[in-house]
Amino acid sequence: MAFMCAPGKHRRPGRVKRTTAQAAGIAALTTTGVIGTVSAAPALAAENSVEQTGLTPVITMSDSVAEQIDAQAAAQQAVAERKAAEEAAREKAAEQAKKERAAKVRAAREAERKRLNTFVAPISDSYVSTGYKTGGSLWSSGAHTGIDFHAASGTVVHAVGTGTVVSTGWGGAYGNEIVIRMADGMYTQYGHLSSIGVSVGQKVTPGQQIGLSGATGNTTGPHLHFEARTTADYGSDVDPVAYLRKHGVDV
Ligand SMILES: [Zn+2]
Protein backbone atom coordinates (compact mmCIF):
# COMPACT_ATOMS: atom_id res chain seq x y z
CA MET A 1 0.00 0.00 0.00
CA ALA A 2 2.75 2.37 0.88
CA PHE A 3 4.51 1.41 -2.30
CA MET A 4 1.30 2.07 -4.32
CA CYS A 5 0.96 5.49 -2.79
CA ALA A 6 4.34 6.59 -3.94
CA PRO A 7 3.52 6.86 -7.70
CA GLY A 8 0.37 8.85 -6.77
CA LYS A 9 2.46 11.32 -4.82
CA HIS A 10 4.78 11.59 -7.76
CA ARG A 11 1.85 12.61 -9.96
CA ARG A 12 0.88 15.30 -7.61
CA PRO A 13 3.46 17.79 -8.76
CA GLY A 14 1.66 17.83 -12.10
CA ARG A 15 -1.55 18.97 -10.47
CA VAL A 16 0.05 21.14 -7.87
CA LYS A 17 2.44 22.62 -10.36
CA ARG A 18 0.27 25.55 -11.35
CA THR A 19 -1.02 26.12 -7.84
CA THR A 20 0.65 28.30 -5.34
CA ALA A 21 2.87 27.21 -2.48
CA GLN A 22 -0.08 27.92 -0.21
CA ALA A 23 -2.19 25.40 -2.14
CA ALA A 24 0.62 22.88 -1.71
CA GLY A 25 0.49 23.60 2.01
CA ILE A 26 -3.27 22.93 2.04
CA ALA A 27 -2.75 19.66 0.17
CA ALA A 28 -0.22 18.74 2.82
CA LEU A 29 -2.74 19.48 5.58
CA THR A 30 -5.47 17.30 4.01
CA THR A 31 -3.11 14.36 3.97
CA THR A 32 -1.78 14.70 7.50
CA GLY A 33 -3.32 11.31 8.36
CA VAL A 34 -0.80 9.51 6.17
CA ILE A 35 2.77 9.55 7.47
CA GLY A 36 4.24 9.11 4.02
CA THR A 37 2.31 12.01 2.61
CA VAL A 38 3.27 14.32 5.46
CA SER A 39 6.93 13.62 4.92
CA ALA A 40 6.51 14.07 1.16
CA ALA A 41 4.67 17.42 1.29
CA PRO A 42 7.67 19.64 2.09
CA ALA A 43 9.61 17.98 -0.73
CA LEU A 44 6.76 18.73 -3.12
CA ALA A 45 6.55 22.31 -1.97
CA ALA A 46 10.26 22.69 -2.46
CA GLU A 47 10.08 21.04 -5.88
CA ASN A 48 7.16 23.29 -6.90
CA SER A 49 8.85 26.41 -5.68
CA VAL A 50 11.88 25.55 -7.78
CA GLU A 51 9.71 25.06 -10.85
CA GLN A 52 7.64 28.18 -10.26
CA THR A 53 10.32 30.60 -9.20
CA GLY A 54 12.89 29.09 -11.48
CA LEU A 55 11.28 28.71 -14.88
CA THR A 56 8.06 30.67 -15.17
CA PRO A 57 9.27 33.78 -13.31
CA VAL A 58 12.46 33.94 -15.37
CA ILE A 59 10.44 34.08 -18.60
CA THR A 60 8.05 36.61 -17.08
CA MET A 61 10.95 38.74 -15.86
CA SER A 62 12.62 38.53 -19.23
CA ASP A 63 9.61 40.09 -20.91
CA SER A 64 9.06 42.54 -18.11
CA VAL A 65 12.74 43.51 -17.99
CA ALA A 66 12.74 44.09 -21.73
CA GLU A 67 9.64 46.21 -21.41
CA GLN A 68 11.17 48.05 -18.49
CA ILE A 69 14.35 48.67 -20.44
CA ASP A 70 12.32 49.96 -23.36
CA ALA A 71 10.27 52.13 -21.05
CA GLN A 72 13.38 53.36 -19.25
CA ALA A 73 15.11 54.13 -22.52
CA ALA A 74 12.06 56.03 -23.72
CA ALA A 75 11.81 57.87 -20.41
CA GLN A 76 15.51 58.69 -20.41
CA GLN A 77 15.24 59.87 -24.00
CA ALA A 78 12.27 62.05 -23.06
CA VAL A 79 14.14 63.44 -20.04
CA ALA A 80 17.22 64.11 -22.18
CA GLU A 81 15.11 65.84 -24.80
CA ARG A 82 13.32 67.90 -22.18
CA LYS A 83 16.63 68.87 -20.55
CA ALA A 84 18.07 69.81 -23.92
CA ALA A 85 14.98 71.89 -24.69
CA GLU A 86 15.17 73.55 -21.27
CA GLU A 87 18.88 74.23 -21.73
CA ALA A 88 18.24 75.71 -25.17
CA ALA A 89 15.45 77.88 -23.73
CA ARG A 90 17.73 79.01 -20.89
CA GLU A 91 20.51 79.89 -23.32
CA LYS A 92 18.07 81.76 -25.54
CA ALA A 93 16.69 83.68 -22.56
CA ALA A 94 20.20 84.49 -21.35
CA GLU A 95 21.18 85.69 -24.81
CA GLN A 96 18.02 87.79 -25.02
CA ALA A 97 18.71 89.31 -21.61
CA LYS A 98 22.29 90.04 -22.67
CA LYS A 99 21.05 91.75 -25.84
CA GLU A 100 18.56 93.80 -23.84
CA ARG A 101 21.25 94.85 -21.37
CA ALA A 102 23.55 95.86 -24.23
CA ALA A 103 20.72 97.83 -25.85
CA LYS A 104 20.03 99.62 -22.57
CA VAL A 105 23.71 100.50 -22.18
CA ARG A 106 23.80 101.79 -25.77
CA ALA A 107 20.63 103.84 -25.20
CA ALA A 108 22.02 105.30 -21.96
CA ARG A 109 25.30 106.20 -23.67
CA GLU A 110 23.42 107.75 -26.57
CA ALA A 111 21.26 109.78 -24.18
CA GLU A 112 24.36 110.90 -22.30
CA ARG A 113 26.09 111.86 -25.55
CA LYS A 114 23.07 113.83 -26.60
CA ARG A 115 22.82 115.48 -23.21
CA LEU A 116 26.48 116.48 -23.39
CA ASN A 117 26.60 117.41 -27.06
CA THR A 118 23.25 118.98 -27.72
CA PHE A 119 23.54 122.66 -27.09
CA VAL A 120 20.86 125.32 -26.93
CA ALA A 121 20.88 128.87 -28.24
CA PRO A 122 22.00 131.41 -25.58
CA ILE A 123 18.79 133.42 -26.20
CA SER A 124 15.56 131.52 -26.81
CA ASP A 125 13.38 132.39 -29.81
CA SER A 126 15.84 134.96 -31.10
CA TYR A 127 18.03 135.47 -34.16
CA VAL A 128 21.50 136.66 -35.10
CA SER A 129 21.26 140.41 -35.67
CA THR A 130 24.95 140.90 -36.46
CA GLY A 131 27.09 138.15 -37.98
CA TYR A 132 30.60 136.93 -37.24
CA LYS A 133 33.52 138.93 -38.74
CA THR A 134 31.23 141.72 -39.78
CA GLY A 135 33.33 144.81 -40.41
CA GLY A 136 32.69 148.10 -38.71
CA SER A 137 34.20 150.97 -36.76
CA LEU A 138 32.44 149.79 -33.60
CA TRP A 139 34.93 146.93 -32.99
CA SER A 140 38.47 147.62 -31.92
CA SER A 141 39.79 144.66 -33.92
CA GLY A 142 38.11 145.98 -37.05
CA ALA A 143 35.80 142.97 -37.28
CA HIS A 144 33.14 141.42 -35.09
CA THR A 145 34.69 138.68 -32.91
CA GLY A 146 31.34 137.04 -32.19
CA ILE A 147 27.68 137.19 -33.10
CA ASP A 148 24.95 139.34 -31.65
CA PHE A 149 21.61 137.84 -30.65
CA HIS A 150 18.66 140.15 -30.74
CA ALA A 151 17.46 140.51 -27.13
CA ALA A 152 15.66 143.17 -25.14
CA SER A 153 17.34 144.18 -21.90
CA GLY A 154 16.60 141.68 -19.12
CA THR A 155 16.18 138.65 -21.41
CA VAL A 156 17.30 135.34 -19.88
CA VAL A 157 20.75 134.24 -21.12
CA HIS A 158 21.42 130.47 -21.19
CA ALA A 159 24.64 128.51 -21.03
CA VAL A 160 24.72 126.88 -24.47
CA GLY A 161 26.13 123.58 -23.16
CA THR A 162 27.71 121.76 -20.25
CA GLY A 163 30.72 123.53 -18.81
CA THR A 164 32.40 125.36 -15.95
CA VAL A 165 32.42 129.13 -15.41
CA VAL A 166 36.03 130.40 -15.65
CA SER A 167 35.50 134.15 -15.61
CA THR A 168 32.83 136.71 -14.67
CA GLY A 169 32.79 140.50 -14.30
CA TRP A 170 33.67 143.60 -16.22
CA GLY A 171 35.16 142.92 -19.66
CA GLY A 172 35.83 146.45 -20.95
CA ALA A 173 34.12 146.86 -24.36
CA TYR A 174 32.14 143.66 -23.60
CA GLY A 175 30.65 145.20 -20.47
CA ASN A 176 29.57 142.57 -17.93
CA GLU A 177 30.65 139.21 -19.31
CA ILE A 178 30.78 135.53 -18.49
CA VAL A 179 33.29 133.03 -19.94
CA ILE A 180 32.57 129.31 -19.70
CA ARG A 181 34.95 126.44 -20.44
CA MET A 182 32.82 123.91 -22.31
CA ALA A 183 32.92 120.13 -21.86
CA ASP A 184 34.58 119.79 -25.28
CA GLY A 185 37.47 122.06 -24.24
CA MET A 186 36.24 125.12 -26.14
CA TYR A 187 35.10 128.37 -24.48
CA THR A 188 31.96 130.47 -24.86
CA GLN A 189 31.65 134.12 -23.91
CA TYR A 190 28.52 136.14 -23.15
CA GLY A 191 28.75 140.00 -23.19
CA HIS A 192 26.89 143.25 -22.52
CA LEU A 193 24.97 141.59 -19.66
CA SER A 194 22.79 143.64 -17.32
CA SER A 195 23.11 140.90 -14.69
CA ILE A 196 25.52 138.02 -13.97
CA GLY A 197 23.94 135.02 -12.24
CA VAL A 198 26.90 132.61 -11.88
CA SER A 199 30.30 132.60 -10.23
CA VAL A 200 33.74 131.25 -11.20
CA GLY A 201 34.04 127.48 -10.73
CA GLN A 202 30.32 126.89 -11.05
CA LYS A 203 29.20 123.98 -13.24
CA VAL A 204 26.51 124.75 -15.78
CA THR A 205 24.29 122.60 -17.99
CA PRO A 206 22.73 123.23 -21.42
CA GLY A 207 19.98 125.83 -21.12
CA GLN A 208 20.82 126.85 -17.57
CA GLN A 209 20.19 130.53 -16.85
CA ILE A 210 23.49 132.33 -16.26
CA GLY A 211 22.43 135.96 -16.43
CA LEU A 212 20.31 138.62 -18.12
CA SER A 213 21.02 140.47 -21.35
CA GLY A 214 21.68 144.22 -21.38
CA ALA A 215 23.63 147.03 -23.00
CA THR A 216 26.73 147.32 -20.80
CA GLY A 217 30.09 148.11 -22.41
CA ASN A 218 30.61 149.35 -25.94
CA THR A 219 27.24 148.90 -27.64
CA THR A 220 24.61 150.91 -29.44
CA GLY A 221 21.73 149.04 -27.79
CA PRO A 222 20.70 145.96 -25.80
CA HIS A 223 21.60 142.55 -27.25
CA LEU A 224 23.70 139.54 -26.35
CA HIS A 225 27.22 139.37 -27.72
CA PHE A 226 28.25 135.71 -27.96
CA GLU A 227 31.67 134.26 -28.82
CA ALA A 228 33.15 130.78 -29.27
CA ARG A 229 36.86 130.62 -28.45
CA THR A 230 39.71 128.15 -28.31
CA THR A 231 40.97 129.79 -25.09
CA ALA A 232 39.36 131.91 -22.38
CA ASP A 233 40.94 135.05 -23.83
CA TYR A 234 40.03 137.66 -26.38
CA GLY A 235 41.52 137.02 -29.83
CA SER A 236 41.06 133.22 -29.90
CA ASP A 237 37.59 133.44 -31.40
CA VAL A 238 36.21 130.98 -33.98
CA ASP A 239 32.96 131.07 -35.97
CA PRO A 240 30.27 130.82 -33.26
CA VAL A 241 27.53 129.88 -35.73
CA ALA A 242 29.56 126.91 -36.97
CA TYR A 243 30.32 125.94 -33.37
CA LEU A 244 26.66 126.05 -32.30
CA ARG A 245 25.52 124.19 -35.44
CA LYS A 246 28.16 121.52 -34.82
CA HIS A 247 26.46 120.94 -31.46
CA GLY A 248 22.98 120.73 -32.90
CA VAL A 249 21.76 124.32 -32.48
CA ASP A 250 19.60 125.58 -35.31
CA VAL A 251 21.03 129.08 -35.71
ZN1 LIG B 1 28.68 141.66 -30.60
Side-chain angles (χ1 to χ4, degrees), residues 2-242:
F3 180 78
M4 289 300 287
C5 279
K9 282 173 205 150
H10 279 294
R11 279 200 303 276
R12 277 187 184 173
R15 293 199 305 275
V16 179
K17 206 174 192 175
R18 283 178 291 276
T19 64
T20 61
Q22 194 185 0
I26 291 162
L29 284 172
T30 57
T31 56
T32 45
V34 184
I35 292 169
T37 305
V38 170
S39 62
L44 279 175
E47 199 181 342
N48 285 341
S49 82
V50 168
E51 282 180 353
Q52 285 185 337
T53 58
L55 292 176
T56 311
V58 162
I59 292 162
T60 306
M61 278 181 68
S62 293
D63 288 346
S64 126
V65 163
E67 282 168 11
Q68 279 180 15
I69 287 169
D70 285 348
Q72 275 183 358
Q76 282 171 356
Q77 176 75 8
V79 167
E81 281 171 4
R82 196 173 63 239
K83 278 185 177 173
E86 284 171 357
E87 183 63 24
R90 260 198 305 276
E91 279 175 12
K92 197 176 175 185
E95 201 171 323
Q96 184 64 22
K98 198 176 168 186
K99 276 183 186 172
E100 281 170 8
R101 275 198 303 275
K104 273 184 186 171
V105 168
R106 271 199 306 276
R109 279 183 187 155
E110 182 62 21
E112 183 66 1
R113 247 197 315 273
K114 275 186 179 172
R115 193 181 70 77
L116 290 174
N117 290 346
T118 302
F119 283 24
V120 299
I123 301 287
S124 302
D125 305 319
S126 183
Y127 57 91
V128 175
S129 55
T130 309
Y132 181 55
K133 295 288 187 189
T134 308
S137 60
L138 194 61
W139 301 291
S140 56
S141 66
H144 199 198
T145 51
I147 52 176
D148 292 344
F149 282 90
H150 174 81
S153 196
T155 304
V156 170
V157 175
H158 305 281
V160 294
T162 300
T164 305
V165 177
V166 295
S167 158
T168 63
W170 189 254
Y174 294 117
N176 292 318
E177 67 168 6
I178 297 169
V179 179
I180 297 173
R181 184 183 195 277
M182 309 307 292
D184 65 359
M186 293 285 286
Y187 294 79
T188 51
Q189 182 241 16
Y190 311 75
H192 308 310
L193 303 175
S194 62
S195 170
I196 292 171
V198 289
S199 50
V200 173
Q202 188 175 333
K203 305 274 187 194
V204 293
T205 53
Q208 183 176 330
Q209 179 176 339
I210 55 173
L212 299 175
S213 65
T216 57
N218 190 5
T219 174
T220 56
H223 69 271
L224 175 74
H225 176 85
F226 174 81
E227 289 189 17
R229 297 173 173 174
T230 57
T231 73
D233 304 322
Y234 168 82
S236 64
D237 54 277
V238 297
D239 182 355
V241 170

